[in-house]
Amino acid sequence: MKGFLSENERVLYSGSWSYGFFSLTAVGAYNIGSIKSTIESDLQTNHKSGNQLLGQFSNKRLTRKLDKGDHMGIFNFGSSIVLIFEAPDGFEFSAQPGDRIRCGEPLGMKR
């Protein structure tokens, strides 16, 4: 099946943290996985009752402040996270390209 996993479900959270811009994007395979937000109760991807069309998106501004360790959501059947952030001076990654990172493991630290 050509292109079977070429379409993905995405949920993007962006904002700021102590050192500037921060963005976390949850990515789930289209039509086989789903993403459910636990901080926004009506947000769930890839569900039969939705009326969202392929290629469309909705944008909603959340004002809730999240703290370290807050539960944000649930992946059903696989996942990827894309994390983009402004790092402080002296930040060094401990994770290397291709590493498998588990929830709670540090990506690096400020030296």
Side-chain angles (χ1 to χ4, degrees):
M1 294 177 68
K2 184 178 180 182
F4 181 65
L5 296 177
S6 63
E7 302 291 337
N8 294 303
E9 302 283 341
R10 295 172 194 85
V11 174
L12 174 112
Y13 297 99
S14 65
S16 61
W17 73 307
S18 304
Y19 302 102
F21 178 77
F22 177 90
S23 172
L24 181 147
T25 303
V27 182
Y30 177 74
N31 215 22
I32 58 170
S34 63
I35 303 162
K36 172 123 177 79
S37 172
T38 54
I39 60 174
E40 183 60 37
S41 61
D42 64 345
L43 191 156
Q44 180 173 350
T45 67
N46 197 22
H47 57 99
K48 302 276 188 248
S49 62
N51 59 2
Q52 197 74 16
L53 298 175
L54 184 63
Q56 291 186 339
F57 69 94
S58 57
N59 190 5
K60 185 170 189 177
R61 183 171 179 82
L62 302 175
T63 57
R64 178 177 171 203
K65 179 181 182 286
L66 297 174
D67 293 314
K68 182 178 178 179
D70 280 355
H71 194 257
M72 296 177 65
I74 300 165
F75 280 109
N76 297 307
F77 196 74
S79 63
S80 294
I81 296 287
V82 177
L83 184 61
I84 300 170
F85 61 96
E86 286 185 70
D89 289 338
F91 183 86
E92 292 182 20
F93 281 99
S94 55
Q96 299 300 312
D99 282 357
R100 184 177 191 149
I101 309 297
R102 298 210 177 261
C103 185
E105 289 182 340
L107 298 174
M109 62 184 351
K110 182 178 175 180
R111 301 265 182 216

